[in-house]
Amino acid sequence: MKSHFLFIILILMPVILHAELKEIRKGKDTGKKSTPPYVVKYHSNSKEKMYEAIDSNNDGELDTWYYYNINGQRTRQEIDSNFDGKVDIWIYFRDGMYIERIDKDTDHDGKIDSERVYK
């Protein structure tokens, strides 16, 4: 059940490529630290999102990131599933919506130990 819920969240949320950007912060600080619950960055030469990040458990730390290409298509999603400040799930998208690959660090040692490729 927990993995199904996580999978649904992964599909419904959008993610970034490196480029010059401007940043917009929305929402109020819901945690002890000054990180807002939602951050979005836009490509400097377009109105398309480059990056979105959320604090999904309201602890004041961003834990889910969505990356987009210059055309606004989602390319990658990164998740800190155990809220330790380190990404441990990477999801790669094709054409902005189809999951192409999911990498996981299941033992939280900083190394990918599970990879699932979809065709």
Side-chain angles (χ1 to χ4, degrees):
M1 179 72 175
K2 184 177 179 182
S3 64
H4 293 300
F5 179 74
L6 182 59
F7 184 75
I8 290 170
I9 288 175
L10 299 177
I11 297 301
L12 296 178
M13 302 303 253
V15 198
I16 194 169
L17 298 173
H18 297 288
E20 185 180 337
L21 49 92
K22 56 184 176 179
E23 185 175 323
I24 296 177
R25 295 177 182 263
K26 298 181 180 181
K28 62 180 183 176
D29 185 5
T30 56
K32 297 177 184 176
K33 300 184 181 178
S34 62
T35 303
Y38 179 76
V39 175
V40 63
K41 297 178 184 180
Y42 292 88
H43 288 279
S44 61
N45 54 352
S46 78
K47 294 181 181 180
E48 296 295 337
K49 281 187 236 180
M50 185 171 136
Y51 169 89
E52 283 181 294
I54 62 169
D55 173 9
S56 62
N57 65 343
N58 294 323
D59 69 350
E61 296 291 332
L62 297 172
D63 46 52
T64 305
W65 297 265
Y66 304 95
Y67 298 88
Y68 301 87
N69 65 21
I70 193 75
N71 298 319
Q73 291 182 326
R74 180 177 38 194
T75 59
R76 186 176 79 243
Q77 181 173 351
E78 298 178 352
I79 302 165
D80 173 10
S81 66
N82 65 342
F83 310 111
D84 67 351
K86 299 174 187 169
V87 173
D88 44 44
I89 300 174
W90 297 263
I91 303 169
Y92 299 89
F93 295 90
R94 181 177 23 102
D95 299 328
M97 69 174 91
Y98 303 107
I99 294 178
E100 190 170 61
R101 187 175 92 222
I102 300 175
D103 295 339
K104 294 182 182 179
D105 173 11
T106 59
D107 57 5
H108 309 287
D109 66 353
K111 298 176 184 173
I112 294 171
D113 46 44
S114 172
E115 181 179 308
R116 182 169 280 178
V117 177
Y118 300 90
K119 295 182 180 186

